[in-house]
Amino acid sequence: MLETIKYLIGCVGPSGYGSKSTAEQVTVRYHAEYSSTAIITGATSGIGAETARVLAKHGFRVVMPARNQKVAEDTKACILSEFPDAEILIMTLDLSSLNSVRSFVSDFEALNLPLNLLINNAGKYSHDHRLSHDGTEITFATNHLGHFLLTKLLMKNMIETAKVTGMQGRIVNVSSAIHTWFSGNLIRSIGKITQDKSQYDATRAYAISKLANVLHTKELALRLKQMEANVIVNCVHPGIVRTGLMRDREGFVTDLIFSLASKLLKTIPQAAATTCYVATNPSLTNVSGKYFVDCNEASPSKLACNPDEAARLWSFSEIMVSTKSKTQLLPISMDWMINDETHI
């Protein structure tokens, strides 16, 4: 109850910011070093667009991967109308397709640009059972596997950029507090919702993907530390905000629910604050593998903190994004992958 009251009135935490802080407020003293580049997925609308706008304002060259080029051009035009000197690059990317991710990275590398900041912000909430281009449940494929492969393929550039410039690279994974709603065998559940339409529940699928975002963050932080790379990774819960995730459920009931819950909702500038804080604040230098809410470090679920589960998901993800893998397998029958006692 006390935490809810603090949230509603916007009490600030140790960082000096809280639930009412906006992306502009948390970056007011920040300016990117010359030629710093940020890739922001899902930057054409909502939280991602606000994140792109604020980072462009503070000097970042912003790369906007997008499926819909027209929407991306409109977002770019809006940013340039406010900040004419901003550098915004639009590139094609469909996170639900592993081949599209590979093509995007190849095209980006051809530009010979540095990469200082990667914000894995794009999110998918599929109300109906659907499979990705590669045969994996669409929400998990987009929210986790696409970002997992994107990060993996961009890592060499990020590490090299940090080495050459001396500036610490940062990765921000946008998760959600809904990750706490899932408990159980993660890999088996992914298999079930992929193979068996009757097992599909949209909210459970979304929770699984958001848990995967936290586990990815934990394991990647460990691996970067072992490599002694000057790159950190953290994840954030942006808060509850009405975004495009709900676009296919507009109507009286949805409007009523959001009206009743309006006191708990953040504005988009408030929802983008934690991402921008974690992406830019100098106090987080060398802080890695953490979970942030309202611009302050918080505790994720017990399962999200399990290092064995993080390592297991990493290995599973490596298999799923491998060019040698036939991802249609998602293989409930492959007991070596999903057995409770087996950790790959």
Side-chain angles (χ1 to χ4, degrees):
M1 184 64 175
L2 179 60
E3 290 303 314
T4 301
I5 293 173
K6 287 181 179 180
Y7 171 85
L8 289 173
I9 64 177
C11 284
V12 301
S15 69
Y17 303 108
S19 62
K20 302 300 183 185
S21 300
T22 67
E24 292 220 14
Q25 288 171 343
V26 303
T27 56
V28 67
R29 296 182 182 86
Y30 182 82
H31 189 79
E33 297 290 338
Y34 175 74
S35 199
S36 292
T37 303
I39 294 177
I40 309 169
T41 68
T44 59
S45 64
I47 297 170
E50 176 67 2
T51 300
R53 186 189 74 82
V54 171
L55 293 183
K57 173 183 179 179
H58 290 286
F60 273 97
R61 175 193 296 113
V62 174
V63 178
M64 297 173 55
R67 287 183 303 160
N68 188 321
Q69 300 298 294
K70 173 62 168 62
V71 174
E73 289 291 351
D74 290 345
T75 303
K76 175 180 177 178
C78 285
I79 295 173
L80 291 178
S81 69
E82 191 174 359
F83 311 112
D85 295 331
E87 186 175 355
I88 313 291
L89 304 179
I90 296 173
M91 300 179 69
T92 300
L93 174 63
D94 179 354
L95 280 164
S96 69
S97 166
L98 298 177
N99 281 339
S100 179
V101 174
R102 295 186 184 97
S103 294
F104 168 82
V105 173
S106 178
D107 292 344
F108 177 76
E109 295 296 343
L111 299 175
N112 293 313
L113 292 174
L115 182 55
N116 308 84
L117 175 61
L118 172 62
I119 299 180
N120 292 320
N121 164 80
K124 176 74 176 178
Y125 184 105
S126 180
H127 292 272
D128 302 311
H129 183 267
R130 290 176 52 202
L131 298 183
S132 71
H133 298 279
D134 306 286
T136 310
E137 189 279 315
I138 192 74
T139 300
F140 180 78
T142 305
N143 295 354
H144 172 65
L145 284 182
H147 283 128
F148 177 87
L149 180 60
L150 180 67
T151 304
K152 174 184 171 70
L153 297 180
L154 291 172
M155 193 51 55
K156 181 179 179 181
N157 186 321
M158 291 201 75
I159 293 173
E160 184 63 23
T161 297
K163 185 180 296 185
V164 170
T165 63
M167 297 185 297
Q168 191 167 73
R170 296 193 181 190
I171 301 166
V172 182
N173 289 332
V174 178
S175 181
S176 168
I178 203 172
H179 82 271
T180 62
W181 292 18
F182 177 83
S183 61
N185 187 302
L186 181 63
I187 307 302
R188 176 180 286 120
S189 296
I190 295 165
K192 284 183 177 179
I193 62 174
T194 292
Q195 283 198 321
D196 188 350
K197 185 176 182 179
S198 68
Q199 295 286 325
Y200 186 74
D201 176 88
T203 301
R204 183 176 175 82
Y206 187 68
I208 285 171
S209 72
K210 295 291 102 178
L211 172 61
N213 294 155
V214 185
L215 291 169
H216 176 213
T217 300
K218 296 288 186 181
E219 181 66 15
L220 180 56
L222 177 62
R223 289 170 180 255
L224 288 169
K225 182 177 180 181
Q226 291 171 342
M227 294 166 61
E228 298 185 347
N230 190 24
V231 177
I232 60 171
V233 55
N234 291 291
C235 60
V236 305
H237 165 55
I240 308 170
V241 60
R242 188 174 192 175
T243 68
L245 285 176
M246 295 298 294
R247 67 169 61 90
D248 61 346
R249 283 295 185 271
E250 298 293 334
F252 174 76
V253 174
T254 300
D255 290 340
L256 178 61
I257 291 171
F258 274 90
S259 176
L260 294 174
S262 61
K263 296 300 182 182
L264 296 174
L265 295 181
K266 287 186 174 185
T267 65
I268 285 177
Q270 290 169 348
T274 305
T275 298
C276 289
Y277 171 79
V278 172
T280 65
N281 198 280
S283 70
L284 299 184
T285 301
N286 298 326
V287 175
S288 194
K290 305 300 183 182
Y291 175 73
F292 289 82
V293 179
D294 298 334
C295 300
N296 289 277
E297 187 178 335
S299 297
S301 70
K302 183 178 179 180
L303 183 58
C305 295
N306 186 323
D308 292 334
E309 195 68 22
R312 185 171 179 241
L313 176 65
W314 184 283
S315 296
F316 176 75
S317 301
E318 287 274 24
I319 293 169
M320 297 305 292
V321 303
S322 169
T323 54
K324 297 178 182 179
S325 173
K326 300 295 184 182
T327 55
Q328 286 86 348
L329 37 243
L330 241 169
I332 294 183
S333 59
M334 296 178 65
D335 294 334
W336 62 275
M337 246 190 216
I338 62 172
N339 188 281
D340 282 323
E341 288 73 42
T342 301
H343 295 278
I344 58 176

